Amino acid sequence: MWLLTVLLLWVDPTKAGITLQPPWVSVFQEETVTLQCVGPRVPGNSATLWFLNGTATPTSTPSYSIASASDRDSGEYRCRTGLSVLSDPVQLEVRRDWLLLQVSSRVVMEGEPLALRCHAWKNKQVYNVFYYQNGKVIKSFNRNSDLTIPKTNINHNGIYHCSGMGRNRYTSAGVSVTVKELFPAPVLKASVTSPLLEGNLVTLSCETKLLRQRPGLQLSFAFYMGSKTLQGRNTSSEYQILAARSEDSGLYWCECLFSLSFSVSGLQSPTPVWFHFLFYVVVGIMFLVDTVLCVTIWKELKRKKKWNLEIPLDSAHEKKRQEQEEQLQNRVHRQAPQEA
């Protein structure tokens, strides 16, 4: 156990994360919300540190539950597990109003989903609901319904609000949503400058840089000359013209696209690569020990079996010898009177 703990602490710690249930960063007063701290932990130890506005709280469990939200519950929440570093902040807002626009996050990375909900006080029914971005209607529903943007981009930056009909038409306060780019616009560079001589090797590089690393994120690149595709989507950021010719003259450009894959696993954090390596090492050691024990036991049983078999064989041989001696003695006794 000590060896396992040392190995876990030797690995670079992972940043903890906070999930919300229900998944909204703003709630009405008197509503219930639970924050869950997700991150690697020391085996058998679920102790969690929670911070509200930079101050440690008495809560030490993985879940931070707010049974009846009030103004004092508003603020910036962060957490840390036994084997993680401090999480990014989550800003929880507790409001008192009639209509509230709830969002899943105020800051999202490009490509991530964004969920919006037009929520009425005490879950009252609202109709003829409109969602707005920067003052313009983006979606409307006859009956209240959530709005989900499955894959955000920088065009989804802005101020969102909603309106709906109850006894009167109500309008929520605005909520600012920021979509951060994963990478800046790519720049196309060539290995040589003009004028270019025929027969020269030319390497085109589509250069950009991820602003934030994310698991499951992969960039792909494509190269074009005018409207002609030179190289479709590929993980390589370079394209080579092996021997330039006059017909290679033209306007070149490139584009960078990203794909994002993820799996939903409840509140469990992804298992790091080092854990798989450690698991297989432990399993291998256990298998080796079991093999040595099995061989040792097998040899011992074989030795005992041989010893047990040798006993009845010797006993049978001795018994046969005694029977032969008795038969010989009987013959001698029978022949003795005749000779007399």
mmCIF file of all heavy atoms in Angstrom, residues 12 19 118 127 161 178 186 215 231 262 289 293 296:
data_model
loop_
_atom_site.group_PDB
_atom_site.id
_atom_site.type_symbol
_atom_site.label_atom_id
_atom_site.label_comp_id
_atom_site.label_asym_id
_atom_site.label_seq_id
_atom_site.Cartn_x
_atom_site.Cartn_y
_atom_site.Cartn_z
ATOM 1 N N ASP A 12 2.490 13.458 -11.855
ATOM 2 C CA ASP A 12 1.974 14.818 -11.861
ATOM 3 C C ASP A 12 0.496 14.809 -11.512
ATOM 4 O O ASP A 12 -0.291 14.076 -12.115
ATOM 5 C CB ASP A 12 2.169 15.453 -13.246
ATOM 6 C CG ASP A 12 3.635 15.722 -13.519
ATOM 7 O OD1 ASP A 12 4.392 15.836 -12.542
ATOM 8 O OD2 ASP A 12 4.013 15.802 -14.702
ATOM 9 N N THR A 19 -18.793 19.323 -10.932
ATOM 10 C CA THR A 19 -20.029 19.157 -11.688
ATOM 11 C C THR A 19 -21.200 19.585 -10.806
ATOM 12 O O THR A 19 -21.124 19.520 -9.570
ATOM 13 C CB THR A 19 -20.231 17.698 -12.135
ATOM 14 O OG1 THR A 19 -20.305 16.850 -10.980
ATOM 15 C CG2 THR A 19 -19.072 17.238 -13.016
ATOM 16 N N CYS A 118 -35.033 28.350 -19.721
ATOM 17 C CA CYS A 118 -35.842 29.484 -19.271
ATOM 18 C C CYS A 118 -36.688 28.973 -18.094
ATOM 19 O O CYS A 118 -37.682 28.273 -18.286
ATOM 20 C CB CYS A 118 -36.716 30.004 -20.410
ATOM 21 S SG CYS A 118 -37.327 31.685 -20.149
ATOM 22 N N TYR A 127 -45.365 29.971 -21.219
ATOM 23 C CA TYR A 127 -45.663 29.638 -22.611
ATOM 24 C C TYR A 127 -45.080 30.706 -23.519
ATOM 25 O O TYR A 127 -44.649 31.777 -23.075
ATOM 26 C CB TYR A 127 -47.184 29.550 -22.812
ATOM 27 C CG TYR A 127 -47.867 28.588 -21.868
ATOM 28 C CD1 TYR A 127 -48.356 29.019 -20.636
ATOM 29 C CD2 TYR A 127 -48.010 27.247 -22.198
ATOM 30 C CE1 TYR A 127 -48.974 28.134 -19.761
ATOM 31 C CE2 TYR A 127 -48.637 26.351 -21.341
ATOM 32 C CZ TYR A 127 -49.113 26.803 -20.119
ATOM 33 O OH TYR A 127 -49.729 25.930 -19.254
ATOM 34 N N HIS A 161 -30.692 36.069 -22.994
ATOM 35 C CA HIS A 161 -31.793 36.176 -22.048
ATOM 36 C C HIS A 161 -33.011 35.507 -22.667
ATOM 37 O O HIS A 161 -32.980 35.056 -23.830
ATOM 38 C CB HIS A 161 -32.071 37.638 -21.668
ATOM 39 C CG HIS A 161 -32.765 38.442 -22.721
ATOM 40 N ND1 HIS A 161 -32.108 39.055 -23.775
ATOM 41 C CD2 HIS A 161 -34.092 38.728 -22.887
ATOM 42 C CE1 HIS A 161 -32.973 39.691 -24.537
ATOM 43 N NE2 HIS A 161 -34.189 39.519 -24.024
ATOM 44 N N THR A 178 -19.162 33.253 -22.757
ATOM 45 C CA THR A 178 -17.912 33.423 -23.495
ATOM 46 C C THR A 178 -17.477 32.081 -24.058
ATOM 47 O O THR A 178 -17.384 31.090 -23.322
ATOM 48 C CB THR A 178 -16.804 33.975 -22.585
ATOM 49 O OG1 THR A 178 -17.226 35.230 -22.038
ATOM 50 C CG2 THR A 178 -15.508 34.173 -23.358
ATOM 51 N N PRO A 186 -5.030 29.586 -38.451
ATOM 52 C CA PRO A 186 -3.726 29.097 -38.923
ATOM 53 C C PRO A 186 -3.072 30.061 -39.906
ATOM 54 O O PRO A 186 -3.753 30.827 -40.604
ATOM 55 C CB PRO A 186 -4.075 27.762 -39.594
ATOM 56 C CG PRO A 186 -5.497 27.916 -40.011
ATOM 57 C CD PRO A 186 -6.150 28.773 -38.973
ATOM 58 N N PRO A 215 -8.197 16.227 -23.507
ATOM 59 C CA PRO A 215 -8.219 14.815 -23.926
ATOM 60 C C PRO A 215 -9.275 14.598 -24.997
ATOM 61 O O PRO A 215 -10.378 15.155 -24.932
ATOM 62 C CB PRO A 215 -8.575 14.071 -22.625
ATOM 63 C CG PRO A 215 -9.203 15.100 -21.737
ATOM 64 C CD PRO A 215 -8.568 16.401 -22.094
ATOM 65 N N GLN A 231 -4.511 18.354 -50.446
ATOM 66 C CA GLN A 231 -4.480 17.325 -49.394
ATOM 67 C C GLN A 231 -5.709 17.478 -48.521
ATOM 68 O O GLN A 231 -5.956 18.555 -47.987
ATOM 69 C CB GLN A 231 -3.211 17.461 -48.540
ATOM 70 C CG GLN A 231 -3.161 16.502 -47.345
ATOM 71 C CD GLN A 231 -1.937 16.722 -46.482
ATOM 72 O OE1 GLN A 231 -0.820 16.416 -46.910
ATOM 73 N NE2 GLN A 231 -2.120 17.252 -45.283
ATOM 74 N N PHE A 262 -15.404 12.237 -26.685
ATOM 75 C CA PHE A 262 -15.457 12.097 -25.240
ATOM 76 C C PHE A 262 -16.443 11.005 -24.889
ATOM 77 O O PHE A 262 -17.293 10.624 -25.691
ATOM 78 C CB PHE A 262 -15.864 13.414 -24.567
ATOM 79 C CG PHE A 262 -17.221 13.920 -24.974
ATOM 80 C CD1 PHE A 262 -18.351 13.572 -24.252
ATOM 81 C CD2 PHE A 262 -17.369 14.731 -26.095
ATOM 82 C CE1 PHE A 262 -19.594 14.026 -24.624
ATOM 83 C CE2 PHE A 262 -18.617 15.186 -26.474
ATOM 84 C CZ PHE A 262 -19.735 14.830 -25.735
ATOM 85 N N VAL A 289 4.141 -14.616 -8.923
ATOM 86 C CA VAL A 289 4.151 -15.226 -7.590
ATOM 87 C C VAL A 289 3.268 -16.467 -7.561
ATOM 88 O O VAL A 289 3.646 -17.515 -7.015
ATOM 89 C CB VAL A 289 3.687 -14.205 -6.534
ATOM 90 C CG1 VAL A 289 3.504 -14.881 -5.176
ATOM 91 C CG2 VAL A 289 4.708 -13.069 -6.416
ATOM 92 N N LEU A 293 4.403 -20.368 -6.727
ATOM 93 C CA LEU A 293 3.740 -21.135 -5.683
ATOM 94 C C LEU A 293 3.156 -22.433 -6.228
ATOM 95 O O LEU A 293 3.260 -23.495 -5.598
ATOM 96 C CB LEU A 293 2.644 -20.286 -5.035
ATOM 97 C CG LEU A 293 3.120 -19.143 -4.120
ATOM 98 C CD1 LEU A 293 1.935 -18.313 -3.657
ATOM 99 C CD2 LEU A 293 3.877 -19.699 -2.921
ATOM 100 N N THR A 296 5.938 -24.915 -6.894
ATOM 101 C CA THR A 296 6.461 -25.433 -5.630
ATOM 102 C C THR A 296 5.514 -26.469 -5.027
ATOM 103 O O THR A 296 5.924 -27.547 -4.594
ATOM 104 C CB THR A 296 6.679 -24.285 -4.639
ATOM 105 O OG1 THR A 296 7.555 -23.322 -5.222
ATOM 106 C CG2 THR A 296 7.282 -24.802 -3.343
#
